[in-house]
Amino acid sequence: MSAPRGRRATRRRLGIWAQVILLAVICVVWIYPLLWIVSASLKDSLGVFSGGLGLIPDAFHFENYVRAWRDADFGLYTVNSVVITLGTVALVVLRCALAGYVIARRTFIGKRAVVAVLVATLFAPHGLTIIPVVELSDLMGLLNSRTGIVLALAGTGHVAAVLLYAGYFSRVPRELEEAAIMDGAGFLRTFFRVMLPLAGPVTATVGVMTFLAAWNNFFLPLVFTFSRPDLRTLSVGMLAFRGTNSTDWSGLAAAGTISLIPLLLVFLALQRYFVEGIAGAVKS
């Protein structure tokens, strides 16, 4: 009996080690492009190509970051990206939380049709909306302004965020709302004082998703800042490293690394709440 048990234990350990090795290989392949960008940001322009797939630079050129930050105005672009992204996150969270709350807790005529239209917009190409958005922003005098970029980014569907909030609010006990109403709280006070604080994990999830999308968005900030280069975001500012006949690849890699740092910090800080928010939207 002991021999078969020993063989089974050995096979189990070998299976675990095989899984560990496979996952390690997948992780290396997954993060290699990121590591290569960081490595390229520390090389000179010739070393980016002569180094091949190697990650260790022959010499560390930290002046690439100085050139990206100071000469290419990435300090200004970082401020623009932070202001635009935080404004977009705040508007998206407020709007999607209110919409999800109404869908989950209120009964009104055409509710199913509204939900069906929201879901249908998930399949609409993003390029279809750019022209009317730009024309409407121009009529309102919002082109070439941070406010216009924020409203354009926050005004898109964000259907996934609405459904996340709706799924979470639908499972909150109604006794909490009834108790707030008995205390004299109205609709908005019940929402802001009771329901929204309970949806903290979902808010973190929506915040992370919106932060990533707004920070990396290229097309809308590009269109809105054609005549105002000082309002460019980091993603648009990377065009400064591409000339008519040549591209500053080491400077571009340094700029890309700078733009990635805030994303990594935000995700690492909120990853636990991100997972809890996804789980909380599908269970009580």
Side-chain angles (χ1 to χ4, degrees):
M1 293 294 292
S2 60
R5 290 179 180 176
R7 285 195 294 270
R8 284 197 297 270
T10 301
R11 286 196 296 268
R12 189 161 51 248
R13 286 194 295 268
L14 290 176
I16 293 174
W17 277 108
Q19 295 176 15
V20 170
I21 294 173
L22 177 62
L23 291 175
V25 172
I26 293 174
C27 288
V28 170
V29 173
W30 187 267
I31 67 173
Y32 178 81
L34 175 61
L35 297 178
W36 190 89
I37 291 176
V38 176
S39 173
S41 69
L42 296 172
K43 299 177 181 179
D44 57 14
S45 297
L46 180 62
V48 171
F49 298 99
S50 63
L53 298 178
L55 297 178
I56 307 299
D58 295 331
F60 291 91
H61 295 270
F62 293 101
E63 65 272 12
N64 294 333
Y65 287 92
V66 176
R67 188 168 71 255
W69 186 262
R70 185 178 58 194
D71 298 343
D73 286 333
F74 259 59
L76 177 61
Y77 299 157
T78 300
V79 174
N80 292 335
S81 291
V82 170
V83 172
I84 291 170
T85 301
L86 293 182
T88 302
V89 170
L91 287 180
V92 168
V93 167
L94 178 61
R95 181 173 62 85
C96 293
L98 280 169
Y101 178 55
V102 171
I103 291 174
R105 311 299 276 195
R106 293 293 186 269
T107 301
F108 53 90
I109 299 175
K111 179 177 178 178
R112 292 186 177 181
V114 170
V115 175
V117 170
L118 285 174
V119 175
T121 58
L122 288 171
F123 305 98
H126 181 67
L128 292 177
T129 62
I130 185 64
I131 295 177
V133 167
V134 172
E135 290 184 350
L136 180 61
S137 300
D138 190 20
L139 291 174
M140 297 175 64
L142 294 175
L143 279 180
N144 301 314
S145 68
R146 294 191 186 96
T147 303
I149 301 174
V150 170
L151 291 177
L153 291 174
T156 54
H158 299 287
V159 181
V162 173
L163 296 179
L164 279 174
Y165 274 112
Y168 188 89
F169 286 137
S170 65
R171 290 166 175 81
V172 175
R174 291 190 176 272
E175 290 79 6
L176 294 174
E177 284 178 293
E178 294 171 356
I181 293 172
M182 291 181 64
D183 289 338
F187 173 82
L188 291 178
R189 186 176 179 185
T190 301
F191 172 76
F192 284 108
R193 293 291 184 90
V194 179
M195 303 302 289
L196 189 59
L198 291 174
V202 178
T203 299
T205 301
V206 173
V208 170
M209 293 169 56
T210 307
F211 189 96
L212 295 176
W215 188 272
N216 290 322
N217 195 287
F218 174 80
F219 197 37
L220 275 175
L222 174 64
V223 173
F224 273 75
T225 59
F226 267 134
S227 58
R228 290 289 303 275
D230 58 304
L231 297 180
R232 288 177 176 175
T233 59
L234 287 171
S235 57
V236 180
M238 291 185 189
L239 292 175
F241 294 95
R242 182 171 182 177
T244 304
N245 300 314
S246 63
T247 300
D248 183 0
W249 293 108
S250 58
L252 184 62
T257 303
I258 291 173
S259 67
L260 284 173
I261 292 175
L263 295 178
L264 295 176
L265 293 178
V266 169
F267 185 78
L268 290 176
L270 299 177
Q271 61 175 336
R272 180 170 65 89
Y273 304 102
F274 181 85
V275 175
E276 290 179 359
I278 295 293
V282 297
K283 70 178 183 180
S284 58

